[in-house]
Amino acid sequence: MVLILAETQKGKFKKTSLEAVTYGDKTAQLLGMESVALVLGSASGLEELGKYGATKVYHVPNQSLDNFDSQVYAAVISEAARQVGAKVIIFSHSALGKSTAGRVAVRMNAGSVSGVNALPTVDGGAFRVKKGVFSGKAFAEYELKSDVKVLSLMGNSIPVAGGGEPAPVEELNLDVPPARVTVKKLERVEGITPLPEAELVVSAGRGMKGPEHWNIIEELAEVMGATTACSRPVADTGWRPHHEHVGQTGIAIRPNLYIAIGISGAIQHLAGVNNSKTIVVINKDPEAPFFKAADYGVVGDLFDVVPRLTKAMKQFKAE
Amino acid sequence: MKLLVCVSKTPETTAKIAFTNNNAEFDSSGVQYIMNPYDEWYALVRALELKEALGGSVTIINVGPAANETIIRKGLAIGADEAVRIDAEPHSALYVAQQIAEYAKGEQFDIVFLGKESIDYNGSEVGPMVAELLGLPFISHATKLEMEGDIALIEADIDGGDAQLEVKAPFVVSAAKGLAEQRIPNMRGIMMAKRKPLAVKPPVAMEDLSVAVHFTLPPEKGDVKLIDPENMEELVRLLHEEAKVI
Ligand SMILES: Cc1cc2nc3c(=O)[nH]c(=O)nc-3n(C[C@H](O)[C@H](O)[C@H](O)COP(=O)(O)OP(=O)(O)OC[C@H]3O[C@@H](n4cnc5c(N)ncnc54)[C@H](O)[C@@H]3O)c2cc1C
Ligand SMILES: Nc1ncnc2c1ncn2[C@@H]1O[C@H](COP(=O)(O)O)[C@@H](O)[C@H]1O
C-alpha cells in the first residue's frame, strides 16, 4: 500500500497535495500496489481525492488535529500507516511535510528522502529516487533499503492528473495524543499563490534602485497571475518582505516561468531558481552572468522594458 | 538555560559542484568549506543571545571527521562555550540524527537548535528526526524566538505566511532567516576558542537505510535567445508558442 498525506488549507486540498496524490498513484502502479490517501482533522469533500488517483481515503476527523503539532501528526500518521499496511508513505515537501516526514521515518524505521522531484525507479528490487541537491546545482539518486519508505515531494515536480472517479471514504478511529505545541495564530498572505507552488514568478533585484519602483513589478505579476520574488539584498535591506527572498539562503523554487528583472545572477541566486523550466532575464548589462542561465534575454533598461512587457501581456490576455 | 546547537559543514556557496568515482561521490578537491549558513548566522547566534540574556551555556555539536574542527573552532570563536564532535562520516540524515540524539539524551538540554536545512543535501530532515528520537516537540523554520520562563513564543515560516506558536521547553527548533543577525568572530573570540573544550566521541553503530548512490549535473542550457527590447510582443509570443509556459 502507498499512503499519501493530503493537506487542506481553508477547506480545500492544497495543490502540492494533489500532486502528491498523483505521484503516489503512479508509484503504486509501479510497485503493483494500491494508493490510499490520509486526511487529518476537519475536512470535507474527501472523496474528491479519488479523481487524482487515490482508491480510498482514510480520515482521522479529530478536531484537535486542526492544531498542527509534528509530534502528534507523526504518531497518528505512523499508526494509520501500520493499520493500512503502508510500504511507502508520501508527503508534500511543504512546511508540514518538512517537520513531519523525518519523524515518521524514525517511528517506522524507514529510509527517507526529502524533496524528491521524479518518480522512483524499481530495478530488481532496488528502489531508487531522485532529488535536487547542492541547492539546485546537481541531482542525486538515492537508494532506499528499508521495508517501509518515506518520501516528500517537491512542488511542481509532476503535473496533477485529474479525471478519476471519487473514492470511498473511511473514518479511522485512532488515539490522538495531546499537543505540546500550541498554534496561537496563522497569518497567510491572501489571494496569492505561495512561491513554492507558483507556476509563474516575476522576480526583481537591486537593479530596481528602490522599493518605491516596485509597482511596475507588481503590475506585471498581476497581469500574468504570477507570484513576486526578489534577490537577497533586496530582502535584506527591507525593500521587500523576506518570504520573497529566493536563492541558496532563501527559498528554492522551480516554476514553469521565472522572469528575473535587474538581478545579476550571482551563483547563490541561481542556486534557488535554476531548475525553473523557462528563464527570462531582463538586464541592461549584456555581460550579466544571469544571461548564461537564461532561455530568453532582453538587454535593456528595465524601467522601459517592464512596462512594455506588461502591455504586451495585457494584450495577449485580452485576445 | 542549557542549549545545544547542531552545526554542519557545507561547501562554500560559490563552490563548483563536481563528482568523481563514476559520479557516485562528491568531488571535494579544491572545495572550500564553511559552517552551514543557517546554523552559523541564525541558530548559533540566537542561542548565544538567549544565554547572554538568561544565563546558562551553549554547546555545539558536529558529526564529522577531524577536518571539521576548523568550523567547530569558528563556532567557539563566535561565542559557544564548548563543543562535541562525533567522529564519523555523516552519511545520512538518520545516521547524523541518531548520533546527536545519543549524545543529547544524557545531557538534558532545554533547547536543541538546528538550521532549517543544510545547503548541500537540502534535507530539512535531521531536526525532526532528532526531535522524534528524543521524544520532544519540534518547530521548524523559526524566525523569532522569545522565552517567558520555560515557555517559548515562536514565529515560524509556513507555506505562504507565518505562524505564532507556543511551546514549553525542552524542545527542538530549526532556524530560518530572521531569527538573529550574523556575528563575525573577533580576535579575542578567536584566541579564546583555542582554549575552549572540544570533546571527540565515537559514533554509535547503525545501519544506513537511505544512501545517495549516483549524482548528475543539470543539463547544459542552450544559448540564450535575445529579444529586441522594443518588441515585447515577440517575447510574449515565444513564451506562449515556443516555451508554452503562458
Ligand atoms: C553565503 C551567501 C548566500 C547568498 N544567498 C543568496 C540568495 O539566497 N539569494 C540571492 O539572491 N542572493 C544571495 N546571495 C547574494 C548574491 O551573492 C548576490 O550578491 C545577490 O544575488 C545580488 O543581488 P542582485 O542581483 O539583486 O543585485 P546586483 O548584483 O547589484 O545586481 C543588480 C543587477 O541589476 C542590473 N541593473 C541595474 N540597473 C538596471 C536597469 N535600469 N535596468 C536593467 N537592469 C539593471 C545590473 O546590471 C545588475 O546586473 C548570497 C551571498 C552569500 C555570500
Ligand atoms: N553532520 C552534522 N552534524 C551536526 N549537525 C548537523 C549535521 N548535518 C546536519 N546537521 C544539522 O541539521 C540541520 C538540517 O540539516 P539537513 O537535514 O541535512 O538539511 C543543519 O542545519 C544542522 O543544524
Side-chain angles (χ1 to χ4, degrees), chain B residues 164-180:
Chain B
Q164 291 176 20
L165 309 163
E166 221 176 79
V167 63
K168 188 167 179 280
F171 60 88
V172 180
V173 63
S174 81
K177 183 180 168 185
L179 190 65

Side-chain angles (χ1 to χ4, degrees), chain A residues 14 103 107 112 114 131 134 137 139 141 143 145 182 184-185 187 236 249 268 295-297 308, chain B residues 13 38 120-121 123 125 132 136 159 162 164 166 177 209 211 213-214 216 221 225 227 229 242:
Chain A
K14 291 171 70 168
R103 299 193 83 125
R107 288 187 90 97
S112 64
S114 71
K131 69 170 285 188
F134 297 102
K137 289 182 233 173
F139 300 102
E141 199 174 2
E143 187 167 326
K145 299 177 171 168
T182 316
K184 291 280 172 195
K185 200 165 157 199
E187 272 174 41
D236 280 354
T249 47
Q268 297 98 348
D295 300 283
Y296 302 102
R308 252 186 241 136
Chain B
T13 53
Y38 296 107
D120 48 6
Y121 292 93
E125 288 191 291
E132 190 63 33
L136 294 179
D159 308 324
D162 63 6
Q164 291 176 20
E166 221 176 79
K177 183 180 168 185
L209 302 176
V211 276
V213 288
H214 187 79
T216 42
K221 276 267 176 193
K225 204 176 250 185
I227 318 285
E242 191 177 79

Side-chain angles (χ1 to χ4, degrees), chain B residues 54-109:
Chain B
L54 306 167
S57 66
V58 174
T59 305
I60 53 181
I61 184 168
N62 172 258
V63 180
N68 289 15
E69 293 192 0
T70 336
I71 64 129
I72 298 175
R73 289 282 171 206
K74 185 174 186 196
L76 293 170
I78 295 171
D81 300 292
E82 54 168 15
V84 177
R85 180 173 66 82
I86 309 295
D87 191 21
E89 277 302 325
H91 11 117
S92 75
L94 188 57
Y95 182 87
V96 169
Q98 297 267 17
Q99 307 305 329
I100 294 172
E102 192 59 33
Y103 167 76
K105 245 176 221 164
E107 297 283 330
Q108 308 288 325
F109 289 101

Side-chain angles (χ1 to χ4, degrees), chain B residues 6-8 36 39 61-63 90 96 114-115 117-118 123-126:
Chain B
C6 308
V7 300
S8 66
N36 186 40
D39 311 351
I61 184 168
N62 172 258
V63 180
V96 169
L114 302 96
E117 68 174 30
S118 57
S124 299
E125 288 191 291
V126 175

Side-chain angles (χ1 to χ4, degrees), chain A residues 15 19 156 159-160 193-201 225-227 254-258 277-278, chain B residues 245:
Chain A
K15 177 176 160 246
E19 291 169 350
N156 287 340
V160 173
T193 315
L195 271 178
E197 290 177 28
E199 287 174 5
L200 306 173
V201 174
T227 302
R254 42 182 304 155
N256 288 338
L257 174 60
Y258 184 76
K277 193 165 158 229
T278 300
Chain B
V245 289

Side-chain angles (χ1 to χ4, degrees), chain B residues 111-184:
Chain B
I111 310 178
V112 179
F113 285 88
L114 302 96
K116 74 164 191 182
E117 68 174 30
S118 57
I119 62 169
D120 48 6
Y121 292 93
N122 310 111
S124 299
E125 288 191 291
V126 175
M129 287 173 171
V130 168
E132 190 63 33
L133 289 164
L134 294 174
L136 294 179
F138 174 63
I139 285 155
S140 71
H141 293 60
T143 56
K144 208 173 162 196
L145 189 163
E146 299 292 344
M147 294 304 296
E148 273 179 18
D150 60 353
I151 305 282
L153 307 174
I154 298 179
E155 284 182 26
D157 283 340
I158 52 167
D159 308 324
D162 63 6
Q164 291 176 20
L165 309 163
E166 221 176 79
V167 63
K168 188 167 179 280
F171 60 88
V172 180
V173 63
S174 81
K177 183 180 168 185
L179 190 65
E181 292 279 340
Q182 181 180 5
R183 283 188 187 177
I184 311 290

